[in-house]
Amino acid sequence: MGLDVYGGNPVVVANYNELVRVSKALQLAASNLDHARFAGVGFSIAELGAQIQLSMLLPGLVDRVKDLAIKAEMAADAYFSAESRVVGLINQVLSPLSTLSTYMGQPIAIMDGSTKLLANLGAIFAVAGLTGKANLAKTAMVAGSIRMTTAAFGYNSAQHLLGEQQANLKLAQVKLDVNGSAKLVTLSKVSSVNAIGDHAAAVAKAYDKPGSRILIDVYKNGYGRNIIVYIPGTQSLNFGGENPLNIRSNLTAFGGLEKSPTQSAIDSALSQLKAGPSDSVLLVGHSQGALVGAQMATSEQPYQVAGLISFGGPISQFGLEVPVISLQNHGDPVPHLSGQVNPLASNWVTASNPGEYASVIDAHKMASYVDSARELDQSDDPGFRRIHEQIGIQPNKPGMRYVFELSRD
């Protein structure tokens, strides 16, 4: 079964909701034009002639407008595929359970007691989505629970909710998190890779014990360097400890108000390598690693950001302008933790693996993404090929691999 791929094509730039809105507007226009054929006829010969001429022209025009409406809806499904189905499933979950309105851009619950109801239902659907076999429907239940719970408290996204709480803590002069640092532990020769599957395998290697390590590959390129940073995901469920790749870093990075210890540790590593304006840095991460990579890609840096490759990362909430390849497994709820979907943009390609997994853990683990990445390499989708070419480097170039151990200060 092939991957569902959309985005990366400069000819098609929109989002799912916009395409559906256009389709509905065209359907309404077609209906109004259809009704115009049966409008009252005037008494004058001139009015009667105009009405007859209009009646002859309208059927063809109505058919063309209806055809455009159908094509707009088909485009939404074709270009978003798995993402549109996730949205559809989320809406199926939410619509019978709550009546939400929009006031000044803010979703508000309009029935008494709905906040507690929606929050509780959100928890129920999250638990249901995290149990049993992992598939698209279960993913939608988890994403729907996130959207339901945040909407219940008047927020339009999980990031909005976390960001506001972090802002309140900062106003109260409460430190959100600590800083991070990096120590070089090994150095070895390496050859450059270009395949997405090989990049995924490098991230998987970064999980080797001890688990707080990142890999940074460096290759000469004219007067500058190509630098690739491989960042693993969450490895500790603690809110403290020495490993910055923990739950607390997830929350800090997701809120987005300040750097997480993971990001500041990676900054330290790149600073030690003297990454500067002539260097091009490609960020490759899994889960939290992709989240941190997205945060770095949207922040001012002393080097050029070549792009981001995300394996199961919750990055849809970032307004990324660099080339992005986002790989998601259908049964993995983590990419949908923001309750949003990746945009259909010329710089961003999303690929989804429709396979079913034994559990959400299996769907999210890096080994599963290595398999999905190998499959993506076989895709001839023009959007993927275009973005891959933009961020790719010449394979088999000699370089050096720096392994840094990260820590919380």
Side-chain angles (χ1 to χ4, degrees), residues 130 138-139 142-143 146 234 250 254 286-291 310-317 327-340 360-361 363-365 369:
L130 292 170
K138 293 295 186 68
T139 297
V142 174
I146 300 292
T234 305
N250 273 325
F254 203 79
H286 172 234
S287 193
Q288 180 187 146
L291 173 64
S310 167
F311 301 111
I315 62 171
S316 58
Q317 69 274 21
L327 186 55
Q328 306 172 349
N329 290 332
H330 271 200
D332 183 4
V334 173
H336 303 283
L337 288 180
S338 66
Q340 302 177 41
V360 293
I361 294 175
H364 185 62
K365 68 183 181 182
Y369 277 104

Side-chain angles (χ1 to χ4, degrees), residues 122-390:
I124 292 170
F125 278 103
V127 171
L130 292 170
T131 56
K133 288 188 175 182
N135 52 35
L136 187 64
K138 293 295 186 68
T139 297
M141 293 185 82
V142 174
S145 72
I146 300 292
R147 184 182 295 183
M148 186 187 302
T149 305
T150 53
F153 291 99
Y155 297 93
N156 53 27
S157 70
Q159 186 185 33
H160 181 198
L161 188 154
L162 268 176
E164 184 169 302
Q165 302 312 311
Q166 289 180 0
N168 291 336
L169 289 172
K170 291 192 75 171
L171 284 173
Q173 298 184 335
V174 176
K175 189 171 178 59
L176 298 181
D177 213 333
V178 299
N179 292 323
S181 58
K183 176 184 177 183
L184 179 63
V185 289
T186 64
L187 178 63
S188 60
K189 293 181 179 180
V190 69
S191 294
S192 62
V193 298
N194 191 38
I196 304 301
D198 291 335
H199 286 308
V203 176
K205 189 172 181 60
Y207 276 97
D208 290 348
K209 294 181 179 180
S212 58
R213 294 185 174 184
I214 60 169
L215 313 180
I216 301 182
D217 293 352
V218 180
Y219 308 94
K220 290 184 179 179
N221 181 23
Y223 292 104
R225 296 173 296 175
N226 291 119
I227 300 175
I228 307 176
V229 184
Y230 296 107
I231 316 168
T234 305
Q235 299 172 357
S236 169
L237 299 180
N238 295 326
F239 277 77
E242 296 183 358
N243 191 344
L245 291 159
N246 62 10
I247 291 294
R248 187 171 179 179
S249 281
N250 273 325
L251 297 174
T252 303
F254 203 79
L257 286 193
E258 64 179 46
K259 291 181 181 180
S260 67
T262 303
Q263 182 180 346
S264 56
I266 296 170
D267 286 345
S268 171
L270 288 170
S271 177
Q272 291 175 52
L273 296 178
K274 302 188 185 304
S278 61
D279 297 322
S280 178
V281 177
L282 174 62
L283 302 161
V284 185
H286 172 234
S287 193
Q288 180 187 146
L291 173 64
V292 171
Q295 194 174 30
M296 294 174 67
T298 51
S299 305
E300 187 175 346
Q301 301 293 353
Y303 47 80
Q304 304 171 52
V305 178
L308 171 68
I309 301 177
S310 167
F311 301 111
I315 62 171
S316 58
Q317 69 274 21
F318 290 94
L320 290 158
E321 298 180 356
V322 301
V324 179
I325 295 176
S326 176
L327 186 55
Q328 306 172 349
N329 290 332
H330 271 200
D332 183 4
V334 173
H336 303 283
L337 288 180
S338 66
Q340 302 177 41
V341 297
N342 292 346
L344 178 59
S346 61
N347 68 305
W348 192 321
V349 63
T350 300
S352 300
N353 189 332
E356 188 170 281
Y357 298 87
S359 68
V360 293
I361 294 175
D362 288 327
H364 185 62
K365 68 183 181 182
M366 192 60 218
S368 297
Y369 277 104
V370 172
D371 294 338
S372 297
R374 299 288 187 202
E375 190 171 348
L376 179 59
D377 283 321
Q378 307 306 313
S379 173
D380 58 0
D381 179 84
F384 164 66
R385 288 297 167 195
R386 177 176 171 273
I387 300 298
H388 190 197
E389 185 177 345
Q390 290 179 5

